[in-house]
């Protein structure tokens, strides 16, 4: 797993390599194409699941969202093709720890390198996409969509970030993950919503 993960994060910055490989990985994200309406991407555990689900719920119509490839190539391709792109970012410590909790087979050092490899290639083009922090996504995602519309001249419907709507999005995410794993230790490690068990593991790993 270590060598394969290392190779994946190394090629993830190159669209001609990373995107065809991502298309072969069935059931893992949606790859950007010329028909994509918006790209929503970030390093794993940066709020991608909430952002994608909330975005789709707000639109009230089918939208072609490229997401969860977790490769900078996805964003680089969107920029080249002039497709709206939203890049999510979280404090490195929180993101890396959550990623390792989700994937305990990945060594901490590799996860740290992967974080840098995701965002490093995006720095030279940071003025050509919209960036949002994890906190902005989970606290007021409507404002994030508004920024996307201002940046690209799009008319995406804003998400009304009420407690009820946010809870509905989290319930939708949890229901989707129930189709992959039964409730239990592994489920609490992987489901992208608040978890007391994951907080406990994070405290154990943080040092």
């Amino acid at each position: 797993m270590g060598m394969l993960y290392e190779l994946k994060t190394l090629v993830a910055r190159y669209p001609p390599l990373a995107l065809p490989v991502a298309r072969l990985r069935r059931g893992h994200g949606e790859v950007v194409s010329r028909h994509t309406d918006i790209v929503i991407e970030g390093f794993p555990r940066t709020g991608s699941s909430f952002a994608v689900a909330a975005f789709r719920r707000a639109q009230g119509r089918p939208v072609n969202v490229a997401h969860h490839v977790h490769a900078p190539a996805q964003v680089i391709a969107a920029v080249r093709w002039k497709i709206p792109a939203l890049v999510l970012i979280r404090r490195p410590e929180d993101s890396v720890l959550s990623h390792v909790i989700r994937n305990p087979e990945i060594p901490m050092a590799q996860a740290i390198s992967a974080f840098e490899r995701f965002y490093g290639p995006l720095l030279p083009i940071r003025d050509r996409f919209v960036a949002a922090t994890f906190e902005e996504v989970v606290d007021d995602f409507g404002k994030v969509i508004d920024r996307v519309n201002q940046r690209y001249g799009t008319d995406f419907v804003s998400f009304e970030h009420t407690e009820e709507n946010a809870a509905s999005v989290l319930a939708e995410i949890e229901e989707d993950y129930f189709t992959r794993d039964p409730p239990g230790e592994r489920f609490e490690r992987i489901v992208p919503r608040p978890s007391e068990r994951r907080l406990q593991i994070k405290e154990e790993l943080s040092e």
Side-chain angles (χ1 to χ4, degrees):
M1 175 64 185
M3 290 298 295
L4 182 61
Y5 182 76
E6 190 78 4
L7 179 61
K8 184 182 76 170
T9 60
L10 283 170
V11 304
R13 67 188 301 167
Y14 304 108
L17 296 175
L19 300 186
V21 171
R23 290 188 182 96
L24 295 174
R25 298 172 67 200
R26 294 181 179 274
H28 187 85
E30 297 290 337
V31 183
V32 63
S33 74
R34 299 282 187 174
H35 305 292
T36 296
D37 295 313
I38 186 172
V39 169
I40 301 177
E41 268 299 347
F43 188 75
R45 320 308 283 188
T46 53
S48 301
S49 294
F50 185 93
V52 172
F55 182 85
R56 284 178 165 158
R57 175 179 287 262
Q59 303 320 298
R61 60 179 176 84
V63 283
N64 192 342
V65 184
H67 61 95
H68 281 94
V69 172
H70 302 308
Q74 181 104 302
V75 180
I76 293 168
V79 167
R80 290 176 180 172
W81 294 340
K82 302 187 186 311
I83 295 171
L86 171 62
V87 176
L88 310 181
I89 190 166
R90 188 179 184 182
R91 287 181 66 249
E93 180 178 347
D94 291 335
S95 185
V96 167
L97 285 172
S98 291
H99 185 41
V100 171
I101 291 169
R102 168 68 173 80
N103 303 279
E105 71 279 5
I106 298 175
M108 191 75 72
Q110 278 192 322
I112 293 170
S113 294
F115 185 93
E116 190 278 331
R117 288 172 182 166
F118 183 94
Y119 293 104
L122 300 181
L123 290 176
I125 58 171
R126 62 188 179 276
D127 60 339
R128 299 175 68 186
F129 56 77
V130 173
T133 66
F134 176 83
E135 289 75 19
E136 289 173 322
V137 169
V138 299
D139 291 340
D140 196 345
F141 189 59
K143 287 184 178 179
V144 176
I145 297 177
D146 292 343
R147 295 213 315 266
V148 171
N149 286 333
Q150 292 166 8
R151 171 65 177 79
Y152 293 102
T154 48
D155 59 354
F156 297 124
V157 180
S158 184
F159 177 71
E160 187 178 355
H161 207 124
T162 62
E163 287 188 14
E164 181 180 1
N165 285 342
S168 294
V169 169
L170 291 175
E172 177 184 323
I173 292 170
E174 184 171 64
E175 183 177 347
D176 176 58
Y177 270 73
F178 273 137
T179 66
R180 313 181 197 186
D181 284 271
E185 173 75 10
R186 174 174 161 77
F187 181 83
E188 289 302 320
R189 281 177 173 268
I190 70 172
V191 63
R193 53 98 169 111
S195 166
E196 288 296 327
R197 175 56 180 147
R198 199 159 56 246
L199 284 175
Q200 179 185 358
I201 299 172
K202 184 179 289 188
E203 289 179 3
E204 294 169 0
L205 289 176
S206 62
E207 289 190 23

